[in-house]
Amino acid sequence: MKKNNSLFSWFNIFKKKNSSKKQLKENTQLYNNENNIKNNSFFSKIKQKIENTKNHFSFKIHQFFFKNKIDDNFFKKLEEKLLIFDFGVHTSKEIVNYLFKKYKNNQFKDEKDVYYELKNYLFSIINFDNINQKQFLKNIYKKPYIILLIGVNGVGKTTIAAKLANFYKKLGKSVVLSASDTFRFAAIEQIKLWGNKISIPVFTKKYGTDPSSVIFDSIEFSILNNSDVLIIDTAGRLHNKINLIKELQKNIQVINKKVCSNPNEILLVLDACNGQNSIIQTKLFSEKINKITGIVLTKLDGTAKGGIIFSIVRNFSIPIQYIGNGEKIQDFYEFNAKSFIKNMFS
Ligand SMILES: Nc1nc2c(ncn2[C@@H]2O[C@H](COP(=O)(O)OP(=O)(O)OP(=O)(O)O)[C@@H](O)[C@H]2O)c(=O)[nH]1
Ligand SMILES: [Mg+2]
């Protein structure tokens, strides 16, 4: 198959970008050596960025299409690439089978066609309507709009609680944070610190208090204060610890009792660096918790490979709602399938 001109022009741009990155890396090293600067955070950050870009899907996929001719073997190698990028066995197979079938039916003129078909297919997997804002607008008259954050230990629930609170505050809503992790050491201080930082009230009770009592009272507090949004942070719990899952079910029952409905959103927070382990977490949480309305994927700034997003959505049909990509309050965005795919393939 002949290389298509426009495809070549992408690769030229990609190569150009690469050589300037190489130059930047060399300059960085030279500067560091000349000045004998050790552990300079500015330069180590640049270096880190270069390394991250090199491992980015877009870099690898361009490289892959550039290096490989389209034949039967191409699809096997593509499947390996997808597996490396955390798409998971099942989803990788499904994507490749779809493309391979088209290839066998002579539906591809050249590499560009395969590239675009891959892009379109990936988009079709994650393209959920962003229901968040619509849901919010629908429920505006029923205050507070309740968001419950759940997930295993350390995935970033508390950080996301603060980021979400700030997000709604910026939309002009009055927000309350509920410190319903009364178990982990310093959990209450942690969320209070966030509350101070972003000037949002945090409803707290003593350590050891039954979390469902904190939830009940924080709803009461939000109603009394006519608050628009209540964001409930919960303690991290392993998905296979049945008592802790039962506690979560009790929390939801209490919300049901108090406001006669489920929380408006139950968001399962997953650490993208956990790769395929996130699939097991989603499976077990979604079996026990009815019904998870969305996924928040955190730590996408780290070594995580975005393929996990496709695997989660394909397996559970739960939309990705938000992305956390850093420890700061602004390192957060609403997930948008179109921009995500655009970024992946740019
Ligand atoms: N790099 C990076 N770090 C994050 C992100 N989100 C959270 N963190 C960090 O991850 C660590 C755990 O975050 P928490 O928000 O405390 O996680 P948690 O799920 O509430 O933890 P537990 O309450 O102990 O279950 C903290 O050091 C956060 O700063 C992210 O998107 N990127
Ligand atoms: Mg926490």
Side-chain angles (χ1 to χ4, degrees):
M1 199 179 283
K2 266 198 149 190
K3 298 270 175 211
N4 176 292
N5 271 347
S6 58
L7 193 62
F8 263 126
S9 62
W10 298 339
F11 293 135
N12 283 337
I13 294 168
F14 153 71
K15 277 201 303 194
K16 251 190 220 165
K17 269 191 193 167
N18 234 8
S19 66
S20 61
K21 271 176 206 154
K22 202 176 155 203
Q23 190 66 51
L24 183 59
K25 192 174 181 178
E26 281 166 8
N27 290 346
T28 307
Q29 274 164 354
L30 191 67
Y31 188 94
N32 273 342
N33 290 341
E34 277 176 4
N35 293 280
N36 197 19
I37 295 169
K38 281 183 185 157
N39 298 326
N40 181 311
S41 65
F42 176 70
F43 287 107
S44 59
K45 261 184 197 162
I46 291 182
K47 272 189 192 172
Q48 190 58 52
K49 278 219 160 111
I50 293 164
E51 288 311 315
N52 285 349
T53 325
K54 259 177 144 184
N55 290 321
H56 191 269
F57 182 82
S58 136
F59 181 96
K60 297 283 184 193
I61 206 73
H62 281 116
Q63 202 181 37
F64 177 75
F65 272 80
F66 186 59
K67 275 187 182 168
N68 291 284
K69 275 193 157 186
I70 301 212
D71 52 21
D72 288 14
N73 206 26
F74 173 92
F75 293 91
K76 275 194 195 124
K77 287 192 200 156
L78 179 62
E79 191 174 332
E80 281 164 22
K81 267 271 132 353
L82 295 178
L83 277 171
I84 290 168
F85 271 85
D86 253 347
F87 280 74
V89 178
H90 182 72
T91 313
S92 304
K93 244 190 194 15
E94 182 192 306
I95 296 165
V96 169
N97 285 348
Y98 169 82
L99 294 172
F100 188 66
K101 213 167 160 187
K102 287 203 157 208
Y103 162 71
K104 282 293 182 195
N105 288 335
N106 295 320
Q107 284 176 268
F108 296 129
K109 277 201 308 289
D110 51 29
E111 294 89 345
K112 203 175 119 193
D113 282 355
V114 186
Y115 180 89
Y116 277 122
E117 198 56 38
L118 173 64
K119 189 175 171 184
N120 288 339
Y121 194 67
L122 293 186
F123 176 69
S124 75
I125 294 179
I126 55 170
N127 184 31
F128 268 87
D129 225 9
N130 199 345
I131 51 170
N132 250 358
Q133 289 307 311
K134 279 182 214 156
Q135 258 192 14
F136 182 77
L137 290 172
K138 242 194 253 166
N139 289 285
I140 188 88
Y141 298 111
K142 196 183 164 214
K143 290 182 186 182
Y145 182 82
I146 301 175
I147 302 171
L148 181 74
L149 296 167
I150 62 172
V152 305
N153 311 72
V155 286
K157 295 177 296 299
T158 307
T159 312
I160 279 295
K163 288 174 178 179
L164 265 176
N166 195 50
F167 170 78
Y168 278 107
K169 186 184 166 192
K170 288 204 160 154
L171 286 176
K173 308 297 170 198
S174 54
V175 187
V176 172
L177 280 163
S178 173
S180 305
D181 179 358
T182 57
F183 175 73
R184 184 176 57 72
F185 173 75
I188 299 178
E189 284 76 11
Q190 184 192 5
I191 195 163
K192 270 179 153 177
L193 265 176
W194 274 119
N196 279 340
K197 220 176 204 171
I198 55 180
S199 304
I200 281 176
V202 182
F203 184 88
T204 63
K205 284 179 103 172
K206 277 194 218 142
Y207 280 105
T209 309
D210 183 344
S212 56
S213 139
V214 183
I215 292 175
F216 188 92
D217 291 352
S218 62
I219 297 175
E220 193 70 38
F221 175 85
S222 303
I223 293 169
L224 282 173
N225 287 283
N226 198 27
S227 304
D228 296 316
V229 185
L230 173 66
I231 299 170
I232 303 169
D233 182 30
T234 60
R237 64 202 72 227
L238 282 176
H239 41 291
N240 49 11
K241 288 269 187 286
I242 197 70
N243 283 349
L244 296 178
I245 293 294
K246 274 192 177 151
E247 184 186 88
L248 207 51
Q249 290 166 337
K250 186 179 161 195
N251 293 346
I252 296 169
Q253 276 167 14
V254 161
I255 298 172
N256 258 296
K257 223 173 179 179
K258 184 76 185 142
V259 298
C260 300
S261 68
N262 252 13
N264 301 76
E265 291 183 41
I266 301 178
L267 298 177
L268 175 65
V269 184
L270 299 170
D271 176 341
C273 299
N274 283 341
Q276 290 298 308
N277 197 273
S278 302
I279 297 294
I280 301 170
Q281 288 171 27
T282 313
K283 182 175 185 296
L284 295 180
F285 270 104
S286 59
E287 276 169 8
K288 303 284 179 214
I289 303 300
N290 187 27
K291 116 176 220 303
I292 295 169
T293 58
I295 302 281
V296 181
L297 207 62
T298 64
K299 311 193 190 182
L300 259 183
D301 51 308
T303 52
K305 304 167 187 111
I308 190 66
I309 287 184
F310 299 89
S311 204
I312 292 169
V313 178
R314 175 45 95 227
N315 282 295
F316 304 101
S317 296
I318 305 175
I320 309 288
Q321 300 281 28
Y322 300 101
I323 299 290
N325 58 343
E327 294 183 86
K328 297 199 190 88
I329 199 83
Q330 66 272 20
D331 297 331
F332 164 85
Y333 58 91
E334 268 190 288
F335 182 76
N336 176 292
K338 210 169 175 180
S339 358
F340 190 81
I341 293 288
K342 200 173 158 198
N343 189 34
M344 260 185 115
F345 283 81
S346 62

